[in-house]
């Protein structure tokens, strides 16, 4: 037996023994309980209604996490199962917290709230238990429940960053040369007698940008860069005399009127890493498989375009082809193919003959540009005239037209002579004078029509189609 085979067998045996141990663990008899039972302690003759009889349930919610000394709002709501029916009558709510604070009593209908500030507590998680009984029979507990709430050392809240952008690939990318707003939203609330005075410090990494009294800062960056935004909110507490309490006042309190509070100063820090990018602009399209001015594409051939823009990378491109000359309302959205440049080469195959509109959208992290190009797709198989025939036809046609034009002018001049000579408006003259045209003109028109028809089904650009039409109309 080789060494590796032995290792395999040993590994297999180990695996089997693990399974055996696992199975035997599961087969321990259920009459030996895994958890020790807690002996309930009864203080008095309080009874708990069996849930099967009363079916009351209480739900507790909190406004936490909250900073120490701030006011937390607890809400208890009771209902009856099944169907979450709201009970009639009044109820007593007993609030017991694990902070070693005194218990609180409230009463109300199916919902009751408690506003409570925890002073001299530690910044950890606590338990709040609500015991519900009927007002009529206070000793009979209908239901009870608990919830965890968190007290923190630092202020709680969030930092919001917003900018008016048409498109944003990720919520940390923003555009330069456009106002950007930062807003710190402190979610802790304090009682009226503990009105805090906030000061906000705004940093890029360790560089202080500005100090404000308002939680809002507006900036405008001009260079693509990374901003390690840190907003520090600092709260100072003052003991406000009852009647002068106005938490909205921004002015620093007068130290003569306000006493330093017993609540220590608090602060909270919020950080975001933001990327500032340059919007896409000056996008250009160059055709690679032919000249950029060439609007014709053979059916089945691939149209290759180079698209370049200025602005910040990464960027991506996507496109839509429509058969009508329509402007797309909903432009395409790129997939995951963002590249580290703002240059793209796209290969498009258009499936239907005739005029097609190609809508191209280039995206970067914070902007997009939409361009459209019209292309005429022709089916090479249905064109049977050799490439040289058409120019020759036009040269011949030009010659014919020249000859016809000269003849016409000569005729016209002769006719004018006749009319000047004698003011005779005999219709036969004009009929006669045009009679020699009556055969030639339809023939030319017919010929041009045929040529036009062919030209339409070939690659000719609009102006080359228009040229014969214009001549035709002047005839
Ligand atoms: C408990 O109930 C019994 C009888 O129902 C009564 O004698 C006793 O005083 C009650 N104890 C208290 C603490 O209410
Ligand atoms: C409590 O619920 C159970 C089943 O959910 C139901 O059988 C019982 O009648 C309910 N009791 C009351 C008082 O509604
Ligand atoms: C609970 O709702 C269902 C339908 O939503 C109803 O059929 C049933 O009677 C309701 N039960 C009670 C006890 O209200
Ligand atoms: C972006 O979204 C994430 C998750 O939703 C959030 O944590 C973060 O604060 C947001 N950043 C900004 C700048 O809005
Ligand atoms: C502040 O934050 C809270 C909780 O996230 C949110 O409900 C509230 O809308 C925010 N207020 C502002 C002005 O952003
Ligand atoms: C922020 O600081 C970093 C260096 O820590 C610097 O590279 C960047 O340009 C700064 N951003 C702004 C917007 O000033
Ligand atoms: C497409 O529409 C534009 C303006 O709506 C017009 O200038 C152009 O001539 C049209 N092109 C074609 C091929 O119809
Ligand atoms: C684009 O579509 C939206 C709704 O999808 C509509 O409100 C808007 O007016 C449309 N714009 C144009 C130019 O058709
Ligand atoms: C554009 O193309 C995308 C896929 O590339 C498609 O999901 C979208 O519906 C198209 N939009 C229109 C208006 O044709
Ligand atoms: C794009 O550039 C970034 C930083 O310049 C680099 O970390 C990343 O690897 C590049 N990605 C590709 C696909 O080149």
């Amino acid at each position: 037996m080789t060494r590796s085979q032995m290792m395999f067998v040993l590994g297999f045996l180990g695996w089997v023994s693990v399974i055996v141990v696992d199975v035997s663990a599961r087969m321990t008899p259920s009459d030996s309980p895994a958890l020790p039972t807690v002996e309930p302690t009864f203080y008095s003759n309080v009874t708990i209604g069996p849930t099967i009889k009363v079916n009351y349930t209480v739900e507790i919610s909190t406004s936490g996490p909250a900073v120490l000394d701030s006011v937390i709002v607890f809400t208890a709501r009771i209902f009856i199962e099944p169907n979450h029916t709201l009970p009639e009558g009044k109820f007593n709510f007993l609030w017991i917290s694990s902070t070693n604070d005194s218990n609180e009593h409230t009463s109300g209908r199916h919902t009751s709230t408690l506003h409570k500030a925890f002073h001299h507590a530690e910044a950890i998680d606590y338990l709040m238990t609500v015991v519900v009984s009927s007002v009529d029979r206070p000793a009979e507990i209908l239901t009870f429940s608990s919830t965890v709430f968190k007290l923190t050392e630092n202020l709680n809240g969030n930092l919001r960053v917003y900018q008016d952008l048409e498109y944003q690939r990720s919520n940390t990318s923003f555009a330069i040369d456009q106002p950007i707003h930062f807003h710190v939203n402190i979610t802790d609330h304090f009682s009226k007698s503990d009105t805090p005075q906030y000061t906000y410090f705004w940093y890029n990494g360790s560089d202080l940008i500005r100090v404000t009294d308002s939680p809002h800062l507006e900036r405008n960056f001009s260079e693509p860069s990374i901003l390690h935004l840190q907003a520090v909110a600092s709260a100072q507490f003052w003991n406000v005399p009852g009647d002068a309490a106005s938490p909205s006042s921004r002015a620093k309190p007068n130290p003569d009127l306000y006493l330093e509070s017993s609540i220590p100063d608090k602060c909270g820090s919020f950080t975001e890493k933001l990327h500032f990018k340059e919007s896409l602009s000056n996008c250009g399209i160059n055709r690679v498989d032919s000249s950029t001015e060439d609007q014709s594409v053979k059916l089945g051939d691939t149209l290759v375009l180079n698209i370049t823009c200025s602005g910040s990378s990464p960027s991506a491109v996507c496109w839509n082809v429509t058969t009508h000359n329509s402007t797309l309302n909903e432009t395409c959205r790129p997939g995951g193919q963002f590249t580290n440049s703002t240059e793209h080469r796209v290969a498009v195959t258009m499936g239907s003959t005739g005029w097609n509109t190609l809508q191209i959208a280039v995206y970067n992290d914070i902007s997009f540009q939409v361009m459209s190009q019209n292309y005429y797709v022709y089916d090479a198989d249905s064109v049977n005239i050799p490439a040289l025939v058409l120019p020759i036809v036009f040269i011949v046609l030009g010659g014919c037209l020249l000859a016809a034009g000269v003849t016409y002018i000569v005729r016209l001049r002769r006719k004018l002579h006749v009319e000047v000579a004698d003011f005779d408006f005999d219709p036969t003259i004009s009929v006669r004078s045009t009679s020699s045209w009556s055969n030639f003109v339809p023939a030319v028109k017919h010929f041009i029509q045929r040529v036009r028809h062919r030209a339409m089904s070939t690659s000719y650009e609009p102006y080359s189609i228009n040229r014969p039409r214009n001549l035709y109309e002047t005839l």
Side-chain angles (χ1 to χ4, degrees), residues 208-464:
L208 182 67
I209 303 174
R210 182 147 321 164
V211 181
T212 62
D213 283 340
S214 101
H216 181 252
L217 178 67
E218 183 186 325
R219 296 286 287 186
N220 200 336
F221 295 99
S222 57
E223 290 291 327
S225 62
I226 292 176
L227 181 70
H228 301 272
L229 181 65
Q230 184 183 17
V232 176
S234 148
Q236 274 188 296
F237 293 86
W238 307 87
N239 262 338
V240 182
D243 56 333
S246 69
S248 62
S249 158
R250 288 244 174 92
K252 277 259 188 277
N254 182 352
D256 300 341
L257 267 173
Y258 300 80
L259 304 165
E260 195 77 52
S261 167
S262 59
I263 298 178
D265 290 358
K266 302 193 183 300
C267 78
S269 171
F270 310 93
T271 55
E272 287 282 356
K273 186 178 173 188
L274 308 175
H275 301 262
F276 286 88
K277 306 273 173 127
E278 191 182 341
S279 303
L280 290 172
S281 59
N282 301 329
C283 289
I285 300 179
N286 279 307
R287 187 165 173 187
V288 177
D289 64 321
S290 179
S291 80
T292 301
E293 289 72 36
D294 185 4
Q295 286 186 286
S296 65
V297 187
K298 202 168 101 185
L299 185 68
D301 274 10
T302 305
L303 176 70
V304 183
L305 301 171
N306 256 0
I307 298 153
T308 48
C309 296
S310 51
S312 296
S313 61
S315 71
V317 68
C318 65
W319 61 88
N320 276 91
V321 178
T322 52
T323 45
H324 344 279
N325 183 16
S326 63
T327 48
L328 286 183
N329 187 355
E330 263 285 296
T331 53
C332 54
R333 283 285 162 113
Q337 71 285 27
F338 276 77
T339 64
N340 259 3
S341 79
T342 52
E343 283 186 26
H344 299 275
R345 174 169 290 204
V346 302
V348 185
T349 311
M350 284 178 268
S352 54
T353 54
W355 282 104
N356 284 269
T357 301
L358 177 64
Q359 297 271 349
I360 301 173
V362 186
Y363 285 78
N364 73 357
D365 284 348
I366 42 121
S367 68
F368 66 93
Q369 290 270 310
V370 181
M371 293 159 278
S372 83
Q373 295 273 300
N374 292 320
Y375 290 99
Y376 190 84
V377 179
Y378 63 93
D379 188 353
D381 294 344
S382 73
V383 179
N384 46 20
I385 38 169
L388 260 184
V389 167
L390 220 60
I392 291 171
V393 165
F394 276 107
I395 290 165
V396 171
L397 181 64
C400 290
L401 287 174
L402 189 70
V406 170
T407 318
Y408 180 70
I409 289 162
V410 169
R411 289 260 178 180
L412 196 65
R413 211 182 269 171
R414 202 177 287 164
K415 182 182 152 195
L416 282 177
H417 276 288
V418 170
E419 281 171 350
V420 170
D422 60 12
F423 291 87
D424 188 351
F425 289 99
D426 184 349
T428 56
I429 291 173
S430 63
V431 168
R432 193 164 18 93
S433 65
T434 58
S435 62
S436 55
W437 283 92
S438 56
N439 294 329
F440 181 65
V441 171
V444 171
K445 280 187 181 180
H446 181 68
F447 180 74
I448 291 170
Q449 260 168 353
R450 273 175 44 202
V451 170
R452 258 187 92 210
H453 185 73
R454 278 180 177 169
M456 282 299 276
S457 61
T458 64
S459 67
Y460 274 75
E461 294 171 21
Y463 21 93
S464 48

Side-chain angles (χ1 to χ4, degrees), residues 162-194:
Y162 50 96
Q163 189 173 44
D164 194 13
L165 288 176
E166 216 177 334
Y167 169 79
Q168 194 181 24
R169 194 173 148 221
S170 98
N171 72 349
T172 56
S173 299
F174 295 93
I176 58 167
D177 300 326
Q178 242 193 82
I180 180 160
H181 304 264
F182 308 121
H183 185 91
V184 171
N185 175 11
I186 300 291
T187 52
D188 294 321
H189 297 281
F190 295 91
S191 67
K192 268 206 170 126
S193 56
D194 303 324

Side-chain angles (χ1 to χ4, degrees), residues 189-203:
H189 297 281
F190 295 91
S191 67
K192 268 206 170 126
S193 56
D194 303 324
T195 308
Q197 191 66 44
Y198 288 106
T199 311
Y200 300 88
F201 301 86
W202 307 86
Y203 295 91

